[in-house]
Amino acid sequence: MTKVHPSTTVPDLELPELAGVRRKDSNTVVLTVWRKSLLFSCSGFTVFDAEGNLVFRVDNYGSGSTGEIVLMDAAGKPLLTIRRKKLSLGANWVIYDGEDVVDPLFSVKKHSNLLHSKVLAHVTTPCNRRRRRGGCSAGYEVEGSYSRRSCTVYDEMRRSVAEIRQKEAVGGVAFGGDVFRLVVHTDVETRLAMGILIVLDQMFGSRVSLING
């Protein structure tokens, strides 16, 4: 058992080997994601780095009755705000920078035909942001199976920029679907990779959504 003492006001908890791992490739960050809030009465996520330090957290009170999910750093500073588009039945989501919910960073849309494709979702930058860089092309594409914790995020050049993987069993004990790896490469922001993971969990997770309604 590994004891983690996050630099927040959450209580000390005995956590089952949740630390991430450090890879030889210095451009790759491997985090351990726990689909659980460290705060009682909350649902959410807790994410650790290679030393077992708290990196990201999601603490949704009342199962997300406010209609949004906020990704925070260890100190509770909002990094991303994630909202489901109205009347989209969970198929379309928007990701905002910090607490700014006016100008989205990305939109995430569930792939329309999952039966005949390994594509799960498309992540695009709104055209008003793309025009500043001279175009409105797609941003990223997610393939694989979230329920099996086996997904890859590809950029426009079909390069792998992030991966969701099962966490290796320790001492012959499997972790199940609530503890897994997020592997982030240098070509994408770690907070964005975590934001995409949260949206995938809302689209394809087998447990109750963090947002009501």
Side-chain angles (χ1 to χ4, degrees):
M1 301 288 282
T2 300
K3 199 164 191 176
V4 179
H5 301 275
S7 57
T8 63
T9 56
V10 299
D12 292 346
L13 296 177
E14 290 286 341
L15 305 179
E17 296 294 338
L18 292 179
V21 298
R22 188 187 302 278
R23 293 295 177 88
K24 292 180 180 179
D25 180 1
S26 61
N27 294 325
T28 299
V29 176
V30 183
L31 303 173
T32 293
V33 180
W34 191 22
R35 198 188 187 284
K36 181 179 178 67
S37 170
L38 288 180
L39 301 182
F40 300 110
S41 77
C42 290
S43 57
F45 289 91
T46 307
V47 184
F48 300 90
D49 66 10
E51 285 73 40
N53 299 310
L54 184 61
V55 179
F56 300 125
R57 52 188 279 203
V58 173
D59 304 312
N60 269 36
Y61 294 90
S63 298
S65 57
T66 60
E68 65 184 27
I69 301 170
V70 179
L71 175 68
M72 299 176 288
D73 66 11
K77 177 184 177 181
L79 301 176
L80 296 173
T81 297
I82 300 167
R83 286 186 172 181
R84 181 178 56 209
K85 284 188 176 181
K86 294 181 179 180
L87 306 179
S88 71
L89 300 178
N92 293 278
W93 296 73
V94 286
I95 300 176
Y96 297 92
D97 186 14
E99 295 180 286
D100 173 21
V101 291
V102 177
D103 189 12
L105 288 175
F106 290 93
S107 295
V108 184
K109 182 178 181 180
K110 181 187 289 186
H111 190 65
S112 58
N113 190 350
L114 296 174
L115 293 178
H116 303 286
S117 173
K118 57 184 178 181
V119 177
L120 297 178
H122 305 274
V123 184
T124 58
T125 304
C127 282
N128 62 328
R129 286 183 175 270
R130 279 284 177 173
R131 288 193 187 99
R132 299 168 197 167
R133 291 179 260 173
C136 293
S137 56
Y140 304 98
E141 193 169 80
V142 186
E143 297 183 1
S145 171
Y146 181 77
S147 63
R148 296 177 182 175
R149 302 300 187 258
S150 179
C151 302
T152 303
V153 181
Y154 294 100
D155 66 8
E156 298 168 354
M157 303 293 291
R158 289 293 297 174
R159 295 174 298 190
S160 172
V161 297
E163 301 169 66
I164 297 170
R165 301 176 182 171
Q166 293 182 354
K167 182 171 169 58
E168 302 83 358
V170 175
V173 179
F175 288 98
D178 283 346
V179 180
F180 49 98
R181 300 287 196 200
L182 175 61
V183 183
V184 185
H185 305 297
T186 187
D187 298 314
V188 65
E189 283 189 74
T190 307
R191 64 167 185 160
L192 171 60
M194 187 62 202
I196 293 173
L197 185 154
I198 292 170
V199 174
L200 291 175
D201 188 80
Q202 297 303 291
M203 289 180 173
F204 304 105
S206 59
R207 295 173 58 180
V208 177
S209 171
L210 300 181
I211 290 181
N212 285 333

